[in-house]
Amino acid sequence: MPHSSAHSARALRDAIANGQLTAEAACQAALDRIAARDPELHAFHTVFAERALERARALDRSTGPRGPLHGVPIALKDNITVAGTVTTAGSKMLATYRPPYDATVVERLEAAGAIVIGKTICDEFSMGSSTENCAFGPSRNPWNPERAPGGSSGGSAVAVAAGMTPLALGSDTGGSIRQPAAFCGVVGLKPTYGRVSRYGLIAYASSLDQIGPFATTVRDAALCLDVISGPDPKDSTAAAVEPPKFEAALTGDIAGLRVGVPRGWLREGVDTEVMARFEESLATLERLGAVVSEIELPHSRVAVPVYYLVATAEASANLARFDGVRYGYRAPDSRDLGEMYDRTRDQGFGPEVKRRIMLGTYVLSAGYYDAYYVKAQQVRTLIRRDFDEAFADVDVVATPTTPTAAFPLGALRDDPLKMYLADTFTVSAPLAGLPAISVPCGWTDDRLPVGLQLTGRAWDEATILRVADAFERTRH
Ligand code: GLN
């Protein structure tokens, strides 16, 4: 069995608080599990055993107040900076880059007593759905190592699913937390845009990127969001909205809650087993007292093309900084500055990143800007408007997280368009800035997990967490 929720972050924290376990022993257990499982699964790019054990011992010695994650090991996607440690974003460009500062989420986790244990494999600059675009990948799905773990935050999903760490952080731009969570059978939450500081997150598409947790239980995801969310003077897009206590929202009661299902959108090619698990999930929600009705999200049908215009445009701007001068890799033996730029970018970036920089540069260039970029922004507004209208009648929107369960590694590698379709149901929420969660909802016949996605109103993570938690309780 890859994991057991008996090893939840909360259970671990409580065991440490009760003196049943030291933080050092918890940390050592995570390191042992990594040593046992990671040679096959390759969730981690770097493990900081010494740094983590030292911190754990310091926590064991401390007599001050205990944070809500006191002694809990956590893994971070390798696009989140930890001062002085290598942070690659899955790219050769940053293979030896050591940022001089901690991401805000890292400061908050450590202040809460969490122990950062290492950095996980991800697609290069978060561009991908399988970790196969990683310069150091791929990771493997713990339920079937021949299958993709999902991406781009695949390593974080694997770390949690395989019981290496009870919690991990990823980032989600078009599905990169929810899709690997679904593929690996864990909980993954993308918060509302602006809920969590992006300071220290290596940017892919700045109007979409958001950091969020992976966990084995919804409650752990809520607990982690409680720690990492909230305003941050270092990131002006981290909204000045004080978050509620998310863990307190998990009442188990969803009687009367209205669930909207965009049936028109779902008719476009969902695998039959995934659809069957989805229908069963709706029946479960109804049994819990929810009222399920059909809604329309007409513009979400074109969310994938809109996403690949907006995200690539922003990526082309964000990745301009990797020029061999200020950061990371520099091609050797160039004759002049122009050649150094060319060769650095040619050698430092992988093929998918180059494809997206070219596409993004194209859609922003004179003559195409209005036809593609502006048009995409207009449709993005319509996607958001559809949700606003739907949320007049329902409290959450339910879809499968992904159209299929985990595909085999290699199957879509050479077909970027097919790979992009793995994002069919996950790109709308970030385009609309909304929170969305993936919670495990069953299995395919060949024992691959299936995810249920719940999307909520902006700033209303509490409701999707409450529904996901109530749903999860029926499954244990
Ligand atoms: N799979 C999507 C992509 O390739 C989403 C990535 C993400 O959310 N970072 O862009």
Side-chain angles (χ1 to χ4, degrees), residues 182-183 261-282 301 398-406 421-426 441 444 449-453:
F183 277 18
V261 181
R263 296 251 170 224
W265 188 18
L266 303 187
R267 275 190 269 280
E268 327 212 336
V270 182
D271 171 86
T272 40
E273 284 185 88
V274 171
M275 200 60 199
R277 296 302 88 77
F278 178 65
E279 298 291 2
E280 289 157 17
S281 305
L282 294 178
R301 283 181 216 177
T399 64
T401 307
T402 54
T404 67
L421 291 176
D423 308 330
T424 301
F425 299 127
T426 50
C441 72
T444 62
V450 177
L452 167 68
Q453 176 174 249

Side-chain angles (χ1 to χ4, degrees), residues 77 79 123 125-130 133 151-153 171-179 204-205 208-209 307-308 311 352 356 419-420 422-423 426-427 430:
K77 183 177 185 179
N79 64 350
D123 286 294
F125 291 104
S126 302
M127 298 176 185
S129 305
S130 67
N133 295 335
S152 62
S153 318
S171 67
D172 189 312
T173 307
S176 277
I177 293 174
R178 292 159 289 148
Q179 185 254 13
Y204 160 21
L208 300 160
D209 297 343
Y307 169 81
Y308 279 94
E352 182 62 24
R356 295 196 191 190
M419 188 78 94
Y420 297 173
D423 308 330
T426 50
V427 291

Side-chain angles (χ1 to χ4, degrees), residues 19-245:
Q20 291 159 265
L21 198 67
T22 60
E24 183 180 2
C27 183
Q28 189 59 55
L31 292 168
D32 291 347
R33 183 81 177 157
I34 292 169
R37 299 291 275 133
D38 214 46
E40 182 191 17
L41 299 176
H42 196 42
F44 283 86
H45 178 65
T46 334
V47 177
F48 325 132
E50 270 323 302
R51 184 184 187 280
L53 285 167
E54 254 168 52
R55 259 194 67 77
R57 286 183 210 113
L59 284 170
D60 285 331
R61 281 192 305 268
S62 78
T63 50
R66 284 165 181 261
L69 291 175
H70 187 99
V72 175
I74 185 165
L76 303 181
K77 183 177 185 179
D78 198 24
N79 64 350
I80 298 173
T81 61
V82 177
T85 68
V86 170
T87 300
T88 70
S91 184
K92 181 178 171 193
M93 190 63 97
L94 292 177
T96 59
Y97 173 62
R98 288 175 190 266
Y101 62 101
D102 281 331
T104 295
V105 291
V106 171
E107 279 177 3
R108 290 187 183 169
L109 285 169
E110 293 193 335
I115 298 174
V116 176
I117 212 158
K119 307 294 288 294
T120 59
I121 292 290
C122 58
D123 286 294
E124 186 175 8
F125 291 104
S126 302
M127 298 176 185
S129 305
S130 67
T131 68
E132 290 166 293
N133 295 335
C134 183
F136 318 102
S139 300
R140 292 178 175 275
N141 192 309
W143 299 100
N144 178 344
E146 301 309 314
R147 300 273 166 162
S152 62
S153 318
S156 285
V158 173
V160 173
M164 300 184 207
T165 55
L167 284 177
L169 293 188
S171 67
D172 189 312
T173 307
S176 277
I177 293 174
R178 292 159 289 148
Q179 185 254 13
F183 277 18
C184 291
V186 295
V187 176
L189 172 69
K190 185 205 86 77
T192 307
Y193 184 78
R195 182 62 95 187
V196 177
S197 171
R198 293 183 296 114
Y199 181 76
L201 172 67
I202 294 177
Y204 160 21
S206 305
S207 78
L208 300 160
D209 297 343
Q210 196 59 197
I211 295 173
F214 289 92
T216 58
T217 67
V218 174
R219 186 165 291 275
D220 275 0
L223 174 63
C224 186
L225 186 63
D226 277 331
V227 168
I228 63 174
S229 59
D232 179 13
K234 292 180 184 150
D235 173 9
S236 60
T237 68
V241 189
E242 271 312 320
K245 278 275 162 242

Side-chain angles (χ1 to χ4, degrees), residues 398-421:
T399 64
T401 307
T402 54
T404 67
F407 47 79
L409 280 165
L412 307 184
R413 220 195 139 117
D414 303 318
D415 191 342
L417 268 184
K418 270 212 184 116
M419 188 78 94
Y420 297 173
L421 291 176

Side-chain angles (χ1 to χ4, degrees), residues 283-422:
T284 301
L285 293 174
E286 280 182 327
R287 250 188 294 118
L288 292 170
V291 182
V292 176
S293 65
E294 188 170 338
I295 54 158
E296 294 281 348
L297 295 173
H299 297 92
S300 280
R301 283 181 216 177
V302 291
V304 168
V306 169
Y307 169 81
Y308 279 94
L309 295 171
V310 173
T312 57
E314 294 184 19
S316 72
N318 272 328
L319 273 55
R321 75 190 70 177
F322 299 106
D323 55 7
V325 177
R326 285 167 294 177
Y327 302 97
Y329 181 74
R330 175 185 293 182
D333 308 325
S334 302
R335 278 166 306 185
D336 56 39
L337 187 64
E339 189 179 278
M340 192 280 284
Y341 287 155
D342 283 353
R343 295 179 47 193
T344 293
R345 290 171 68 82
D346 183 38
Q347 295 166 15
F349 290 136
E352 182 62 24
V353 172
K354 287 180 192 164
R355 182 178 299 122
R356 295 196 191 190
I357 291 173
M358 286 190 278
L359 183 59
T361 305
Y362 178 82
V363 304
L364 288 177
S365 57
Y368 300 105
Y369 183 82
D370 288 329
Y372 295 113
Y373 183 70
V374 171
K375 189 58 92 193
Q377 291 292 12
Q378 288 166 340
V379 182
R380 180 178 186 178
T381 302
L382 297 175
I383 290 169
R384 167 70 190 240
R385 198 172 296 166
D386 289 347
F387 275 101
D388 289 344
E389 280 170 19
F391 284 130
D393 300 321
V394 300
D395 302 305
V396 301
V397 171
T399 64
T401 307
T402 54
T404 67
F407 47 79
L409 280 165
L412 307 184
R413 220 195 139 117
D414 303 318
D415 191 342
L417 268 184
K418 270 212 184 116
M419 188 78 94
Y420 297 173
L421 291 176

